[in-house]
């Protein structure tokens, strides 16, 4: 198959692409490390130029998949070429090198495309100094392809003149004996093998002719030299004409035979083999397709390569299936033939024994007598040999002694064959043959044994013939099914479109929000930098390995349910899954996530700064689900608009909790010899799932926590988030804050008497280890916890207002003063304070205390603003005066401090991502037209309405085995249609288990209903 341009192709393509001169560069992309796309534009006219190092260059009308992040070479091209005009597109000499000049004068830049050997793309300035090179290397001792070196223009070949007769003789004189003409001419001429073959055929020669001294054989110099000179002149004219006119395009095809599943004659598949700017003589008789231009033909050829690979793979599968069917038929025929042969031989042996009965009895008795006389086997052999030397007729018929099996082999002849019988009687005569005789049986008993063997073979033959029809029909049915499946999978693979978010962890929430998460640090960086908008929600968990999760919000606040499910994903894609530990996730708005580090600090890849308040989510059970979504045909999308309906803003917190199946669940056993069973797993000292039982304790003082927070001074230290392991400073800071909170809660609860036993779980974020400790907590502490659970009943959006009244604050302060007595070590300090301030009266003390309350005026001003806003201003009016945010402050998740609400992006027109999401449905209807299936792994609560689903919980089964088992469960589901099963089978195995969090246990509700 031809995959790269030759000289004639380049000449024709350069002539055709002169229409691009004058167009400006809009953008540059890279498809892979060798292929680059340049978007050109001129007023309303647009064109896309594709350059592939070493192979091709042409314009394209197809959408090629671009790399997510542009390479360094692409960025360099963008820097120098963007908005530049394409001034020249020329071929350097007659070599396979193309020069594209962008800009003019000293602002000119050259992109040099090399289409020979391993190829190269070089960017130079107007003086041909190399600015960047795709493949730096050295040729010989002097020519260096590196930055700041001069590009060697003198290397390009410039002459394509046809050699004269003397030059041809000189070329042939240097050739090796036995070489053909094409092999000799191709290295010495610039026309290319296809052009040389064409001109030779046009002039009565062939490329395979060898130089010969015999006028009757091969290429005879004196006779054929003039023809060769004329042919090469014609090749020169072809190159000259190619420079001056636009050529048509031709794709040469090959007819591949493929089996017909319906029977009858074979079908044919046409595969593209070569592309040419003209129909050459050697390809005229082959199937071909003509195009208006060579550029169009090349674009069609390369764009169809992927689909052609799928077709060829399908043909290979079909051929293998037909080969198996043919092997079944051959095996059947061979078995019948063998049984017929055995019957014929057994019948002949039995008849021969019957005709030679006296001879067989004498031989049998002789050997039995020797054995009865206790002669050794060797002596018996010597005895038989001696008798044969004496021409004994009985001994002469013995050819072999098989005394270990109590048999002898006799050469028997037909005693009635005198050699002079007529031809008609010859058919009844038997030819001499070797027959095994059992010494323990008489001659007639031996004959009966052979007749019995013949009858047994006849019965086998009859049974084989009877079962053959069934076996062949079954094999044909399986073959037809295989051919049909191969054809279906081929069509599905062609229709399969890879969505942009499939390279990440992804799922669609139960209220139709797209949720995406990074697989590693690089993807986390890419998600935040490229795909996250200010109004999107960023979800993360403070545990090692937690993914950065983004909820695409479409310009509106994220729903609580979507945030819960995104939090589950953040925790599941971390060490918490393997450790089977529950932990909390948190979320912030996209505008709170920044890549700018504080002075003197450095953020690694995948690490970000979080400024402002974190909103903590309730810990959720580690329950994921595996399912399939189906791509709907456009006409079927409307009827599925309500499959994933967005929640109304006023939904209660109860809607947020994960929907649990009321049906009985059964575990799905994944058979894997290499894995340990569940019983063995329970014996191991691995971490099991930890279940916390929370006691129901009545709340007494819900406002204590707020009092504690008011006493805390605001801190100004931003938090870091890292995919793998957070920096040490951040960890210490967070740990210190947690310790401080614990100390405060302990000091508040010292005076209470009742203690409650609770379990503390600590996760080491660096190693993923889990530490469990029991600790007595006071009722006050439990009441604070119950407050927290009420606060966190569902993910809260940033709240407005909510400040306590002055009466409540005074009551809390008086209660707190009553509750708190002097601590140990403070009595002497109180004495000193009394001595120091003994002359201070009540007025001075009140004045000093007033001065020591710095944020009182700020609180009063906020209250006044809220009261006025409630009095007459609308919500929109209250949002207008935006106050710039202060220095980044790290607040606790439970704090009620205010944060300015983000300016949400205006609701856009129908989003392209939304249209993509509506194309996918997990619950197809019977009359839907389905194109392909996409595997999805998501929190189990988001898969409640899906047709096929299994539950994933932390377990011991490997991802690949578990995925295969789940697919088999779906295929056995009685409710699935034939089309759905075909689509499930067409999904590649490597894509099925790609998003599993780790080792899993499978379970499904009412599993017996799915089994046939």
């Amino acid at each position: 198959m031809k995959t790269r341009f030759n000289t004639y192709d380049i000449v024709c393509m350069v002539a055709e692409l002169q229409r691009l001169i004058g167009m400006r560069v809009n953008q540059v992309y890279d498809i892979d490390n060798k292929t680059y796309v340049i978007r050109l534009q001129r007023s309303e006219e647009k064109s896309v130029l594709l350059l592939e190092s070493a192979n091709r260059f042409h314009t394209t009308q197809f959408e090629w998949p671009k790399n997510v992040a542009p390479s360094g070479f692409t960025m360099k091209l963008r820097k120098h070429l963007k908005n530049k005009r394409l001034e020249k597109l020329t071929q350097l000499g007659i070599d396979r090198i193309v020069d594209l000049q962008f800009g003019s004068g000293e602002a000119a830049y050259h992109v040099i495309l090399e289409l020979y050997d391993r190829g190269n793309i070089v960017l130079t300035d107007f003086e041909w100094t190399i600015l960047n090179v795709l493949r730096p290397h050295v040729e010989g001792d002097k020519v260096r392809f590196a930055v700041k070196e001069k590009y060697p223009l003198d290397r390009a070949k410039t002459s394509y003149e046809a050699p004269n007769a003397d030059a041809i003789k000189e070329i042939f004189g240097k050739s090796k004996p036995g070489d053909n003409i094409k092999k000799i001419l191709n290295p010495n001429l610039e026309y290319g093998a296809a052009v040389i073959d064409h001109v030779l055929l046009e002039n009565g020669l062939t490329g395979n002719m060898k130089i010969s001294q015999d006028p009757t054989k091969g290429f005879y110099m004196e006779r054929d030299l003039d023809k060769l000179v004329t042919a090469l002149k014609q090749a020169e004219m072809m190159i000259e004409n190619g420079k001056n006119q636009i050529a048509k395009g031709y794709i040469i095809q090959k007819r591949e035979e493929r089996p017909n599943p319906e029977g009858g004659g074979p079908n044919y598949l046409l595969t593209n083999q070569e592309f040419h700017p003209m129909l050459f003589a050697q390809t005229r008789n082959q199937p071909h397709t003509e195009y208006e231009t060579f550029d169009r033909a090349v674009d069609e050829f390369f764009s169809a390569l992927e689909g052609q690979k799928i077709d060829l793979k399908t043909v290979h599968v079909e051929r293998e299936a037909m080969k198996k069917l043919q092997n079944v038929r051959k095996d059947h025929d061979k078995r019948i033939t063998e049984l017929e042969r055995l019957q014929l031989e057994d019948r002949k042996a039995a008849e021969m024994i019957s005709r030679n009965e006296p001879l067989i009895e004498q031989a049998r008795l002789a050997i039995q007598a020797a054995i009865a006389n206790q002669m050794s086997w060797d002596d018996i052999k010597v005895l038989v040999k001696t008798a044969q030397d004496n021409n004994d007729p009985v001994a002469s018929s013995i050819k072999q002694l098989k005394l270990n099996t109590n048999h002898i082999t006799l050469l028997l002849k037909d005693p009635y064959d005198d050699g002079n019988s007529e031809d008609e009687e010859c058919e009844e005569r038997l030819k001499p043959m070797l027959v095994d005789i059992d010494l323990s049986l008489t001659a007639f008993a031996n004959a009966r044994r052979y007749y019995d063997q013949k009858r047994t073979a006849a019965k086998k033959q009859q049974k084989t013939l009877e079962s053959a029809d069934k076996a062949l029909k079954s094999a044909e049915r399986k073959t037809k099914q295989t051919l049909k499946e191969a054809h279906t999978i081929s069509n599905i693979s062609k229709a399969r479109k890879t969505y942009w978010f499939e390279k990440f962890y992804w799922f669609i929430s139960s209220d139709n929000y797209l949720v995406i998460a990074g697989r590693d640090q690089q993807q986390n960086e890419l998600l935040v930098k490229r795909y996250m908008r200010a109004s999107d929600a960023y979800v993360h968990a403070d545990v090692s390995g937690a993914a950065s999760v983004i909820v695409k919000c479409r310009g509106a606040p994220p729903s609580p349910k979507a945030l819960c499910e995104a939090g589950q994903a953040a925790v599941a894609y971390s060490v918490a899954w393997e450790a089977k530990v529950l932990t909390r996730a948190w979320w912030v708005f996209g505008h709170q996530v920044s890549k700018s580090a504080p002075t003197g600090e450095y953020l690694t890849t995948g690490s970000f700064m979080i400024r402002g308040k974190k909103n903590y989510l309730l810990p959720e059970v580690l329950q994921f689900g595996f399912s399939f979504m189906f791509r709907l045909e456009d006409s079927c999308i409307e009827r599925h608009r309500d499959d994933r309906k967005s929640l109304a803003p006023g939904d209660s917190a109860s809607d947020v909790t994960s929907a649990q199946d009321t049906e009985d669940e059964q575990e799905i056993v994944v058979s894997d010899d290499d894995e340990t069973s569940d019983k063995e797993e329970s014996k191991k000292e691995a971490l099991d799932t930890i279940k916390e039982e929370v006691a129901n304790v009545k709340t007494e003082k819900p406002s204590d926590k707020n009092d504690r927070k008011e006493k805390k001074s605001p801190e100004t230290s931003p938090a870091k988030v890292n995919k793998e392991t957070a920096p040490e400073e951040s960890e210490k800071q967070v740990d210190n804050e947690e310790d401080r909170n614990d100390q405060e809660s302990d000091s508040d609860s010292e005076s209470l008497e009742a203690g409650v036993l609770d379990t503390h779980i600590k996760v080491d974020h660096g190693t993923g280890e889990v530490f469990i400790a029991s600790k007595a907590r006071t009722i006050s502490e439990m009441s604070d916890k119950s407050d927290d659970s009420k606060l966190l009943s569902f993910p809260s959006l940033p709240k407005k207002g909510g400040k306590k009244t002055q009466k409540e604050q005074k009551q809390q302060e008086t209660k707190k003063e009553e509750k708190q007595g002097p601590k140990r070590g403070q009595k002497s300090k109180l004495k000193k304070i009394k001595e120091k301030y003994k002359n201070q009266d009540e007025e001075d003390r009140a004045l000093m205390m007033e001065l020591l309350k710095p944020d009182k005026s700020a609180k009063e001003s906020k209250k006044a603003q809220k009261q006025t806003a409630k009095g007459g201003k609308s919500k929109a009016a209250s949002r207008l005066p935006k106050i710039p945010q202060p220095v980044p402050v790290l607040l606790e998740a439970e704090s009620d401090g205010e944060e300015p609400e983000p300016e949400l992006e205006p609701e856009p027109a129908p989003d392209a991502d939304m249209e993509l999401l509506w194309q996918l449905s997990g619950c197809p209807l019977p009359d839907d037209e389905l194109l392909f299936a996409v595997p999805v792994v998501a929190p189990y609560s988001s898969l409640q309405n899906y047709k096929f689903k299994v539950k994933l919980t932390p377990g011991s089964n490997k991802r690949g085995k578990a995925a295969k088992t789940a697919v088999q469960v779906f295929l056995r589901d009685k409710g699935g249609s034939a089309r759905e099963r075909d689509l499930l089978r067409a999904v590649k195995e490597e894509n099925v288990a790609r998003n599993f969090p780790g080792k899993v246990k499978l379970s499904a509700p009412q599993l017996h209903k799915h089994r046939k």
Side-chain angles (χ1 to χ4, degrees):
M1 182 185 290
K2 179 181 177 182
T3 56
R4 58 164 55 191
F5 277 25
N6 58 31
T7 303
Y8 187 49
D9 296 337
I10 294 171
V11 169
C12 295
M13 187 62 75
V14 167
E16 186 174 342
L17 294 186
Q18 294 304 310
R19 59 187 169 82
L20 302 179
I21 301 297
M23 299 181 82
R24 290 187 181 275
V25 177
N26 188 14
Q27 191 56 284
V28 182
Y29 303 99
D30 55 313
I31 296 172
D32 54 43
N33 60 344
K34 289 178 63 179
T35 313
Y36 295 84
V37 168
I38 302 176
R39 289 192 180 277
L40 301 168
Q41 188 171 357
R42 176 170 48 202
S43 63
E44 296 301 319
E45 184 185 358
K46 294 182 180 179
S47 189
V48 180
L49 179 62
L50 188 146
L51 310 176
E52 183 178 355
S53 173
N55 288 340
R56 55 177 169 140
F57 70 102
H58 57 89
T59 62
T60 180
Q61 297 179 2
F62 296 93
E63 192 65 31
W64 293 82
K66 306 173 187 68
N67 273 349
V68 177
S71 64
F73 190 74
T74 305
M75 297 302 291
K76 195 77 171 177
L77 290 176
R78 289 180 179 181
K79 176 183 176 182
H80 294 292
L81 303 185
K82 205 163 183 182
N83 296 324
K84 290 282 192 302
R85 193 196 309 273
L86 178 61
E87 299 290 347
K88 288 183 184 177
L89 195 155
T90 56
Q91 182 179 8
L92 292 185
I94 194 63
D95 215 336
R96 284 174 288 169
I97 304 172
V98 180
D99 171 32
L100 294 89
Q101 180 184 330
F102 297 90
S104 58
E106 293 188 359
Y109 293 94
H110 296 269
V111 175
I112 300 166
L113 174 65
E114 296 180 354
L115 297 168
Y116 60 87
D117 192 26
R118 289 194 288 163
N120 210 348
I121 300 178
V122 184
L123 174 66
T124 73
D125 63 8
F126 71 103
E127 294 179 332
W128 301 93
T129 302
I130 297 175
L131 301 176
N132 207 348
V133 59
L134 184 63
R135 186 174 66 89
H137 65 286
V138 179
E139 289 185 7
D141 298 330
K142 297 180 180 179
V143 182
R144 293 182 69 247
F145 291 88
V147 177
K148 296 184 180 179
E149 296 286 333
K150 287 278 187 182
Y151 186 82
L153 295 171
D154 53 347
R155 294 167 61 255
K157 298 176 183 177
T158 55
S159 174
Y160 58 91
E161 185 180 351
N164 55 26
D166 294 335
I168 291 173
K169 286 180 181 177
E170 185 179 347
I171 291 170
F172 280 16
K174 296 177 183 177
S175 65
K176 296 178 182 178
D179 288 347
N180 57 35
I181 300 175
K182 187 168 69 173
K183 190 174 181 179
I184 296 168
L185 292 176
N186 206 22
N188 294 284
L189 301 174
E190 301 302 322
Y191 307 135
V195 173
I196 291 174
D197 265 343
H198 170 71
V199 295
L200 289 176
L201 288 170
E202 289 287 302
N203 289 274
L205 302 173
T206 61
N208 296 325
M209 294 176 72
K210 296 181 180 179
I211 301 171
S212 173
Q213 303 299 328
D214 187 354
T216 60
K217 294 180 181 178
F219 181 83
Y220 186 57
M221 185 70 71
E222 295 179 4
R223 181 191 64 203
D224 298 327
L225 183 59
D226 291 339
K227 292 181 181 178
L228 183 57
V229 172
T230 306
L232 296 181
K233 282 287 184 186
Q234 185 179 342
E236 182 184 343
M237 290 302 297
M238 285 174 62
I239 298 290
E240 192 66 37
N241 293 335
K243 288 185 174 183
N244 302 320
Q245 62 186 21
I246 295 176
K248 288 187 175 182
Y250 297 89
I251 293 180
I252 311 302
Q253 297 169 321
K254 181 183 177 184
R255 187 179 280 111
E256 295 279 352
E257 186 176 328
R258 64 188 303 176
N260 189 353
E262 304 299 328
N267 293 332
Y268 292 98
L269 171 70
L270 291 175
T271 57
N272 297 337
Q273 296 296 312
E274 298 177 4
F275 53 91
H276 297 296
M278 71 173 291
L279 193 58
F280 293 130
Q282 64 267 26
T283 58
R284 279 178 192 153
N285 298 327
Q286 297 180 22
H288 62 270
T289 307
E290 182 178 336
Y291 294 88
E292 292 180 0
T293 62
F294 180 51
D295 181 38
R296 178 76 176 138
V298 174
D299 190 26
E300 287 285 345
F301 180 88
F302 282 99
S303 64
L305 278 182
E306 288 302 318
Q308 187 172 298
K309 287 178 184 175
I310 294 172
D311 286 336
L312 289 175
K313 191 175 180 181
T314 305
V315 170
H316 178 69
V317 172
E318 290 173 350
R319 285 177 178 169
E320 288 294 321
M322 291 302 296
K323 190 176 179 181
K324 285 182 180 178
L325 179 60
Q326 290 170 2
N327 288 342
V328 169
R329 286 175 177 160
K330 283 181 182 177
D331 185 55
H332 169 71
D333 294 340
K334 185 179 178 182
R335 193 176 299 170
I336 295 295
T337 306
E338 185 68 19
L339 289 171
E340 289 176 349
R341 186 186 62 80
L342 286 174
Q343 290 179 60
L344 184 61
E345 288 184 356
D346 288 342
R347 185 181 62 80
K348 286 182 179 179
E351 289 184 5
M352 193 65 80
I353 291 171
S354 301
R355 297 182 185 186
N356 290 277
E357 187 265 339
L359 178 65
I360 292 169
E361 285 295 331
Q362 291 179 17
R364 194 174 68 84
L365 291 173
I367 298 299
Q368 282 182 334
I371 293 173
N373 290 331
Q374 298 185 351
M375 292 180 66
S376 67
W377 289 357
D378 294 334
D379 292 342
I380 295 173
K381 288 180 182 177
V382 172
L383 180 65
V384 171
K385 181 67 176 170
T386 305
Q388 287 175 348
D389 292 342
N390 295 329
N391 296 322
D392 184 276
V394 176
S396 298
S397 64
I398 299 174
K399 294 301 179 185
Q400 189 178 358
L401 297 175
K402 300 178 181 178
L403 298 177
N404 54 340
T405 59
N406 203 29
H407 282 71
I408 59 173
T409 303
L410 301 179
L411 177 63
L412 302 179
K413 299 177 182 178
D414 190 350
Y416 305 110
D417 185 9
D418 54 2
N420 297 324
S421 58
E422 298 177 358
D423 294 339
E424 294 178 0
E425 297 177 356
C426 283
E427 295 178 0
E428 300 178 4
R429 302 287 180 253
L430 298 175
K431 294 180 180 178
M433 61 186 300
L434 294 172
V435 180
D436 277 359
I437 302 297
D438 189 344
L439 294 176
S440 61
L441 301 176
T442 63
F444 288 116
N446 274 288
R448 191 188 309 115
R449 181 168 65 90
Y450 277 103
Y451 278 125
D452 289 342
Q453 288 179 4
K454 186 250 180 190
R455 279 193 292 272
T456 303
K459 288 178 182 177
K460 280 186 181 180
Q461 182 181 354
Q462 185 62 30
K463 287 181 181 178
T464 304
L465 288 171
E466 288 173 358
S467 62
D469 291 339
K470 292 181 183 178
L472 286 174
K473 283 180 181 177
S474 173
E476 286 173 1
R477 187 172 60 253
K478 286 181 181 177
T479 303
K480 284 184 179 180
Q481 182 67 20
T482 304
L483 296 181
K484 185 179 176 182
E485 286 178 5
H487 187 66
T488 304
I489 290 172
S490 171
N491 293 339
I492 294 168
S493 300
K494 287 180 185 177
R496 174 73 164 98
K497 178 186 175 184
T498 303
Y499 293 104
W500 66 268
F501 46 77
E502 286 188 72
K503 55 181 169 286
F504 305 108
Y505 292 125
W506 70 277
F507 65 90
I508 301 172
S509 71
S510 49
D511 43 4
N512 208 40
Y513 285 86
L514 176 62
V515 182
I516 47 179
R519 296 178 183 275
D520 50 33
Q521 291 177 330
Q522 286 74 23
Q523 283 201 349
N524 285 345
E525 192 91 5
L526 182 67
L527 271 177
V528 172
K529 283 187 174 180
R530 176 167 292 188
Y531 295 103
M532 188 176 73
R533 295 181 295 194
S535 60
D536 293 340
Y538 177 89
V539 186
H540 195 64
D542 294 325
V543 62
S544 177
S548 287
V549 184
I550 290 175
V551 182
K552 303 295 287 180
C553 293
R554 309 188 294 272
S559 74
K561 198 163 190 179
L563 289 172
C564 270
E565 291 167 357
Q568 279 184 269
V571 174
Y573 292 118
S574 71
V575 295
W577 183 272
E578 295 293 338
K580 303 177 184 177
V581 172
L582 302 184
T583 185
R584 293 191 302 176
W586 49 263
W587 71 274
V588 294
F589 279 111
H591 71 90
Q592 294 177 247
V593 183
S594 171
K595 190 64 182 171
S596 58
T599 307
E601 294 191 34
Y602 169 71
L603 288 176
T604 58
T605 304
S607 303
F608 308 99
M609 300 297 296
I610 305 300
R611 290 179 165 82
K613 172 186 171 184
K614 292 183 190 174
N615 305 282
Y616 276 85
L617 305 167
L618 270 177
E620 294 284 346
V621 183
L622 290 174
Q623 282 185 358
F624 256 47
F626 171 62
S627 180
F628 279 93
M629 303 186 81
F630 297 92
R631 167 66 162 92
L632 302 168
E633 206 272 332
D634 293 342
S635 61
C636 306
I637 292 176
E638 282 302 321
R639 67 183 76 162
H640 290 272
R641 289 283 181 183
D642 295 332
D643 283 358
R644 300 181 294 270
K645 205 169 185 179
S646 298
L647 286 175
D651 280 350
S652 63
S654 61
D655 295 335
V656 177
T657 58
S658 303
Q660 302 294 333
D661 272 319
T662 56
E663 300 173 342
D664 296 334
E665 290 185 356
Q666 298 182 18
E667 182 181 348
I668 302 172
V669 179
V670 179
S671 60
D672 188 0
D673 297 334
D674 299 334
E675 296 173 4
T676 56
S677 64
D678 291 338
K679 291 181 182 179
E680 292 172 348
E681 186 189 356
S682 62
K683 293 178 184 176
K684 292 182 181 178
E685 295 181 358
L687 291 168
D688 294 326
T689 309
I690 300 167
K691 299 180 180 178
E692 294 190 57
E693 296 181 0
V694 181
N696 295 324
V697 182
K698 291 185 179 179
T699 329
E700 292 184 358
K701 294 181 177 64
S703 59
D704 287 350
K705 188 168 59 177
N706 294 328
D707 293 340
R708 288 201 303 273
K709 285 174 191 170
E710 286 175 4
K711 290 185 179 181
K712 285 200 286 186
S713 60
E715 298 170 6
T716 57
S717 52
K720 293 185 184 178
V721 181
N722 198 336
K723 165 77 172 74
E724 297 298 333
T725 308
E728 292 180 6
E729 293 83 4
S730 173
E731 283 190 4
K732 289 176 183 175
Q733 183 180 350
V734 174
D735 291 341
N736 292 337
E737 289 168 4
E738 289 175 357
D739 295 342
R740 194 157 60 245
N741 293 340
D742 291 342
Q743 289 170 7
E744 288 175 1
S745 62
D746 290 342
S747 65
D748 287 346
S749 59
E750 276 177 3
S751 60
L752 296 174
E753 297 174 1
V756 181
L757 187 64
D758 201 356
T759 304
H760 277 225
I761 304 165
K762 184 178 178 183
V763 181
D764 189 340
H765 299 331
T767 61
E769 293 181 13
V770 181
F771 302 96
I772 305 170
S774 295
K775 180 181 176 183
R777 287 189 179 179
T778 60
I779 296 176
S780 167
E781 217 170 340
M782 290 302 294
S783 67
D784 286 346
K785 283 291 172 187
S786 63
D787 270 355
D788 293 349
S789 65
K790 284 183 180 179
L791 260 171
L792 296 168
S793 61
F794 69 93
S796 59
L797 295 171
K799 295 180 182 177
K800 298 179 182 177
K803 290 292 175 184
K804 307 289 183 187
T805 62
Q806 289 183 359
K807 289 182 180 180
E808 288 178 352
Q809 288 178 1
K810 286 179 182 178
Q811 287 174 4
Q812 289 168 11
E813 285 174 5
T814 54
K815 284 180 183 178
K816 202 158 191 178
E817 285 172 4
E818 290 171 6
K819 185 174 69 174
Q820 289 181 351
K823 293 183 181 178
R824 190 174 60 185
Q826 290 184 344
K827 287 183 180 179
S828 59
K829 196 177 284 185
L830 288 172
K831 284 181 182 178
K832 289 178 184 177
I833 291 170
K834 261 185 182 178
E835 189 68 26
K836 186 176 180 181
Y837 298 109
K838 64 182 178 179
N839 296 325
Q840 192 180 46
D841 59 3
E842 288 297 321
E843 290 181 4
D844 292 341
R845 186 173 178 276
L847 184 63
M848 293 301 294
M849 291 302 292
E850 198 68 34
L851 290 172
L852 289 172
K853 293 182 180 180
D855 53 348
K856 185 177 179 183
S857 60
K859 289 180 183 177
E860 288 175 354
S861 64
K862 284 181 184 176
K863 282 180 192 172
Q865 285 177 10
K866 284 173 187 172
Q867 285 171 0
T868 54
K870 284 180 184 176
K873 291 187 181 179
S874 64
K875 288 184 181 178
S878 66
R879 287 182 189 174
L880 283 176
K882 287 290 178 182
I883 303 168
Q885 290 191 1
V887 181
V889 179
L890 174 64
L891 300 174
E892 295 300 322
E894 296 86 357
S895 68
D896 288 330
E898 287 189 0
E899 177 188 316
E901 198 163 314
E903 292 186 18
L904 298 178
E905 297 175 3
E907 187 69 29
D911 194 0
D913 289 344
M914 277 297 295
E915 293 303 318
L916 288 181
L917 300 188
W918 288 125
Q919 293 173 0
L920 298 171
S921 175
C923 45
L925 300 174
D927 52 347
D928 284 341
E929 187 176 342
L930 308 177
L931 301 182
F932 54 83
V934 183
V936 59
V937 176
Y940 195 65
S941 59
S942 66
L943 304 179
Q944 293 304 308
N945 298 328
Y946 284 42
K947 186 170 186 177
F948 304 100
K949 61 179 180 290
V950 293
K951 185 183 287 185
L952 308 179
T953 50
S956 60
N957 299 316
K958 292 181 180 176
R959 298 188 301 175
K961 290 276 185 184
K964 285 183 184 177
T965 307
V967 172
Q968 290 304 314
V969 170
F970 298 156
L971 291 175
R972 290 197 300 268
D973 190 347
K974 295 178 182 178
S977 66
R979 176 63 176 172
E980 289 166 358
R981 292 192 191 98
D982 288 340
L983 295 179
L984 295 185
R985 290 191 194 97
V987 179
K988 294 180 180 177
E989 287 185 6
E990 59 266 24
N991 294 337
V992 174
R994 196 161 172 251
N995 291 353
F996 277 42
K999 291 186 176 180
V1000 298
K1001 182 179 81 172
L1002 295 182
S1003 56
Q1006 296 293 335
L1007 188 60
H1008 60 274
K1009 290 183 179 179
H1010 300 290
R1011 290 175 179 163
K1012 289 186 179 180

